[in-house]
Amino acid sequence: MRATAAALLLAANGLTIPVALGAAPGATPFRVEEATIDSIQSAILKGELTSTQVVELYWKRIRAYDGPCVTQPDGILGPFSTIPHAGQINSLITVNLRPAARAAHGLGARKARSLTDAADSDPGMPDALEVAAKQDAYFKANGKLVGPLHGITFAIKDWYDTRDMRTTAGADAGYANDRPPRDATFITRMREAGGIILAKANVGSGISRSPFGGISCNPYDTERSAGTSSSGSGTSVAANLVTCAIAEETGGSILHPTKNNSVVGLAPTQELVSRNGMYGAGYNTRTGPICRTVKDAAKVLDVIAGYDPKDELTVFSVGRMPASPYQSYAAETRLAGLRIGVLREYMDRSLFNEADEESIAAAERAVADLQKLGATIVDPGPGGALLTTYIEKYAPSVMNKLFIERFPDAFPIGESGKPAADHIASLVEMSQDPSRTPKGVTLRSLGRGESVGESRYMIELYLKERGDANIKTMKDLAEKSRALTDTRPDSGNNARGGGGDNRTALTMDTSERFLTRFAVQQIVLQAMEEMKLDALVTPTGNIPPYILGRPLEPTLNGRGPSIWSFLGTQGFPQLGVPAGWTTKVYDRIRDASAPGGTRLTGPTPAKLPLSVMFFGRPFGEPALFRIGSAYEQATRHREPPPEFGPLP
C-alpha cells in the first residue's frame, strides 16, 4: 500500500523512477551536495532517505565549513584580515537546534536559537531535528509527503521574523526577547508546506559584515566578497549547507550574492510576496529565493507567493497569478516564440573599464546562447541603447516635476520660484518631437526619486508590531546595539538600523519614489510592448567579487560595485542565473597619488563566478522561469566551490 502511494506521488511530482521503498543492499549513500528538491524528495519517496537524515547531512557540512573565515584579533566588531583558502565561510549566525542538540553537533553557544532564553524548552517551538522527525513519522504512517517542501532545508536571512529563532537583522542588539512573537507570513507558509528552517543567514552591507555575525566569505575565494546584505543566504546555498535560502532585495541584496556565488536568485515582483514580519520593509523591498537551480527557485515561489492581508501591497497580485504553478514554467529546453531585448546600456565597454570586461563578454555569450535556443534577440548592438528613444519620448511628461527639476535650462525658474516660461508648452513640444528633449537621461541615470522618513516609519512600525519591552524605537535600537569599532574605509558599516534620516525625520514623503516608479514602469512597458519583448537581458553586475577590506570599484557612468538594480527597484522582477567564470580580474588598491585615492591593478588570474540577469514585466515571473531554465539546461555553468566538496 505504501509503495503504491509513494509511486503515485512520484508521478504527481514529475519523478519517473517508481522503484520499491527501501535502499538496496550496497546502494550508494545519498549525496546532499548539489541536491535539488526533486532529488531529495525522490529519495525520500523511494525509502532511501528520511527528513532526519537530510537534516543531519547538512548539519555535518555546517559544522565542517561554517566557522570564522577571517582573523579578528579584537573580536567580531574590530579590524580583520583575510585568510587565503580559509575553508570556512561564516554564512549562518543562528542554528535551529535546542541547546543539547546544538552542543552535540559541535556548534557554539553564540549560534543558539535564543540568547535571552537559555533553557529553550518550549515544546511549541520544535527545532529542525524535531520537525524532521515529525515528517518521518507522517510519511511512515501515510506514505506521502506533508507538502511540496517536505524534507527541504532553508536558511532565512536574519531580516525576517522566526518565532523560534533569534531575529535581530544582524545587529548585536539588546532586545528583552531576541525572538519575535510570531513568524513572518511567508515563513508560516513554508513551514506548512514542509520546509525545514535550518538556520538564520548572516547579513551585512558593503562587505557582507554584520555586528552580530561578523564577516561572511565567498566559498570560491574566501578573501573575496560574498555579496551584500543577503550574503549568508547566497553562500550557504553555494557551499551546499542548505537546499535553498530566502533573501531580501532592496537594491541588490538577492542578485549580488547570486552573482558572486554561482547560484540562482529571484527578486520577484514586489507585490507578489508578503513583507509581513520583515525588519524595515520598504516600498521597494522584495522577498525571494536563492537556490542552485531555476526549477527549485520556482518551486519555492509557488509556496511563498500570493495575497496576504497583512501586507497591503500584495493586493496587486490578486488576479495576476499564473494559471499554472510557477514550477511548470521552469522546464523549457527551447525558446522559440520568445523575444528578448539586450540592455546594451549596461554593456557598453566604452563607458566602463577593464574590471567590467569579462562580465560583459559573458552576457554577450549568453545572448548568443539564447538565440541558439530559438529566441528572437532584439539587440541595438555594441555601443547602442535599447531604451533611450523611449526615455526621450516619454520621460518629460510622465516624470514631469522630477524631469523639469533636472533641466533648469530647458525649464527656467524665476526669482519668485515660479516658472519663468511655459513648461507645459515645452513638454508638449518634447512629446511631439523627442529630438527637443534635453539629452543626458539614460537608463543608467533615469531615476532619482527621494524618499523622506520612509526608513524610520517602516522600522518603527516593525518595532511597534514586535512589541519588545526593551527596544521600542529607532533611538532605542541605536542606543542598545553594539557598533562596529573598525574605522578603516571599506570595512563594512553597522547593520543596526539607524542613521541620518532614519532617526531624525519627523514627516514622511514618498511621493517622488512613487512618481519615479510609475514613470519608469510606463516608459519601459511601452518600450517592451512596441518591440514585442517578453524579457530583457543584461549582466547581473559588471564587477566580479571584490577583495574584502579593499576599496570598492567607484561608480562609473552609473555602474557601481554591486548589480544593475534600478529596474528591479521600480517593480520589474529579476532572475539571476550562472553565466560562466572569469579567467582574470582587476582589483582596486589605495594610492594617494591616484585620482580619488585608488587605482586599478591587474590582471590577476582568477576563476570567479559570472552571472546573467533577466528582467520581466511586473508579475512576469513565468517568462523569466522559461528563459532561465532553458538557458541553464543548455549551458550548465553552475559549479560547486571546489574547496567545499563532499565530506568523508
Side-chain angles (χ1 to χ4, degrees):
M1 177 69 71
R2 207 176 94 191
T4 300
L8 290 172
L9 194 55
L10 273 169
N13 282 274
L15 306 170
T16 58
I17 311 175
V19 297
L21 290 171
T28 303
F30 185 84
R31 305 301 316 195
V32 77
E33 297 80 22
E34 299 301 285
T36 64
I37 293 175
D38 278 353
S39 70
I40 290 170
Q41 293 182 342
S42 175
I44 291 173
L45 288 164
K46 291 184 288 185
E48 299 172 352
L49 189 66
T50 66
S51 293
T52 299
Q53 289 171 335
V54 172
V55 170
E56 289 287 6
L57 287 168
Y58 282 118
W59 283 137
K60 185 178 181 181
R61 292 186 60 79
I62 290 169
R63 179 179 179 181
Y65 290 135
D66 207 46
C69 53
V70 297
T71 58
Q72 303 165 120
D74 298 326
I76 286 176
L77 301 173
F80 68 92
S81 299
T82 59
I83 304 174
H85 309 288
Q88 306 290 323
I89 56 172
N90 193 41
S91 64
L92 306 173
I93 59 176
T94 300
V95 297
N96 192 8
L97 287 172
R98 293 194 191 275
R102 176 178 48 74
H105 284 78
L107 298 167
R110 192 171 175 82
K111 291 186 181 292
R113 296 208 301 174
S114 171
L115 299 185
T116 59
D117 175 18
D120 190 12
S121 58
D122 186 343
M125 296 182 183
D127 70 6
L129 284 170
E130 293 165 342
V131 170
K134 289 181 180 180
Q135 290 188 3
D136 294 337
Y138 180 89
F139 181 75
K140 183 177 181 179
N142 299 282
K144 60 182 181 180
L145 307 181
V146 300
L149 297 180
H150 180 119
I152 307 307
T153 64
F154 289 86
I156 307 296
K157 182 176 181 176
D158 195 39
W159 242 242
Y160 297 108
D161 284 354
T162 47
R163 64 181 295 270
D164 50 356
M165 281 181 285
R166 186 181 192 280
T167 303
T168 67
D172 194 348
Y175 285 92
N177 182 359
D178 58 14
R179 287 171 163 149
R182 62 192 69 85
D183 282 334
T185 294
F186 79 86
I187 294 288
T188 298
R189 292 176 179 177
M190 290 174 63
R191 294 193 204 267
E192 291 173 348
I196 301 174
I197 311 300
L198 214 58
K200 300 300 285 291
N202 201 3
V203 301
S205 52
I207 61 166
S208 318
R209 184 181 199 179
S210 72
F212 183 79
I215 291 173
S216 293
C217 299
N218 191 308
Y220 294 94
D221 181 343
T222 56
E223 292 192 275
R224 292 183 179 269
S225 169
T228 39
S229 69
S230 296
S231 55
S233 297
T235 55
S236 61
V237 173
N240 286 284
L241 306 187
V242 290
T243 315
C244 288
I246 298 295
E248 170 274 334
E249 177 129 341
T250 299
S253 299
I254 292 177
L255 276 299
H256 196 178
T258 291
K259 171 183 74 70
N260 283 15
N261 292 285
S262 191
V263 288
V264 173
L266 174 73
T269 307
Q270 183 193 25
E271 298 91 344
L272 190 56
V273 181
S274 175
R275 301 165 301 157
N276 169 256
M278 173 186 170
Y279 170 86
Y283 291 129
N284 64 345
T285 53
R286 288 143 284 154
T287 301
I290 294 178
C291 300
R292 288 180 293 273
T293 69
V294 173
K295 186 175 183 181
D296 279 2
K299 283 176 173 281
V300 175
L301 185 64
D302 274 321
V303 171
I304 65 176
Y307 172 66
D308 174 21
K310 296 177 182 177
D311 181 358
E312 64 278 6
L313 281 182
T314 60
V315 74
F316 288 99
S317 71
V318 176
R320 303 182 76 177
M321 305 285 284
S324 301
Y326 288 108
Q327 64 180 286
S328 67
Y329 298 94
E332 292 287 343
T333 58
R334 296 289 299 168
L335 296 176
L338 290 176
R339 291 172 60 86
I340 303 172
V342 182
L343 287 174
R344 287 283 178 178
E345 290 90 328
Y346 298 153
M347 301 166 61
D348 188 342
R349 288 174 171 82
S350 68
L351 297 175
F352 310 125
N353 61 30
E354 299 97 322
D356 305 65
E357 171 60 36
E358 294 216 50
S359 293
I360 294 173
E364 290 172 337
R365 290 192 295 271
V367 170
D369 290 330
L370 296 169
Q371 192 165 32
K372 291 175 185 175
L373 290 167
T376 298
I377 302 299
V378 180
D379 185 355
L386 189 72
L387 301 179
T388 296
T389 299
Y390 300 92
I391 292 171
E392 291 178 348
K393 182 175 182 179
Y394 297 111
S397 60
V398 297
M399 298 190 78
N400 49 79
K401 170 191 172 183
L402 299 180
F403 194 88
I404 288 168
E405 290 175 348
R406 289 178 68 171
F407 295 99
D409 290 342
F411 301 97
I413 299 294
E415 292 183 3
S416 65
K418 295 182 179 180
D422 190 341
H423 292 177
I424 291 178
S426 297
L427 292 173
V428 170
E429 291 176 356
M430 292 173 192
S431 176
Q432 294 299 299
D433 181 6
S435 68
R436 302 174 70 96
T437 299
K439 304 304 176 186
V441 179
T442 70
L443 183 60
R444 296 182 306 278
S445 62
L446 181 56
R448 298 178 181 173
E450 299 297 325
S451 180
V452 176
E454 179 187 348
S455 294
R456 182 186 168 200
Y457 171 80
M458 290 297 187
I459 292 174
E460 295 208 357
L461 178 63
Y462 168 83
L463 294 173
K464 185 78 170 179
E465 292 175 343
R466 180 162 174 159
D468 189 75
N470 196 32
I471 294 180
K472 300 180 175 67
T473 66
M474 288 198 68
K475 184 175 183 291
D476 293 337
L477 186 61
E479 292 176 351
K480 298 176 182 181
S481 297
R482 298 179 68 200
L484 296 175
T485 58
D486 187 353
T487 59
R488 297 174 302 166
D490 311 304
S491 65
N493 54 27
N494 189 1
R496 71 181 181 183
D501 160 66
N502 287 344
R503 287 200 299 266
T504 62
L506 299 179
T507 189
M508 186 171 172
D509 182 356
T510 61
S511 58
E512 289 191 6
R513 174 161 290 178
F514 280 105
L515 175 56
T516 298
R517 184 184 179 95
F518 177 83
V520 172
Q521 285 200 15
Q522 182 169 334
I523 293 166
V524 176
L525 288 173
Q526 186 70 22
M528 292 181 73
E529 186 61 26
E530 290 192 21
M531 290 185 277
K532 304 300 180 187
L533 300 178
D534 297 286
L536 307 169
V537 63
T538 180
T540 300
N542 287 21
I543 306 302
Y546 39 79
I547 296 175
L548 294 167
R550 291 270 193 93
L552 304 183
E553 185 64 21
T555 299
L556 179 62
N557 288 314
R559 183 272 286 136
S562 181
I563 71 157
W564 293 110
S565 62
F566 175 66
L567 290 181
T569 64
Q570 309 309 314
F572 294 86
Q574 309 153 265
L575 179 69
V577 182
W581 303 88
T582 64
T583 61
K584 60 183 182 296
V585 291
Y586 294 82
D587 295 308
R588 249 320 121 185
I589 62 170
R590 295 181 184 88
D591 183 345
S593 65
T598 70
R599 61 182 174 86
L600 208 58
T601 63
T604 302
K607 184 178 181 180
L608 297 169
L610 295 167
S611 177
V612 67
M613 179 163 57
F614 304 104
F615 290 103
R617 299 168 187 257
F619 301 98
E621 283 78 3
L624 299 187
F625 288 137
R626 292 180 65 191
I627 295 167
S629 62
Y631 173 73
E632 172 188 66
Q633 291 303 307
T635 58
R636 297 187 180 274
H637 288 303
R638 158 73 191 172
E639 295 179 18
E643 296 183 4
F644 294 82
L647 297 173

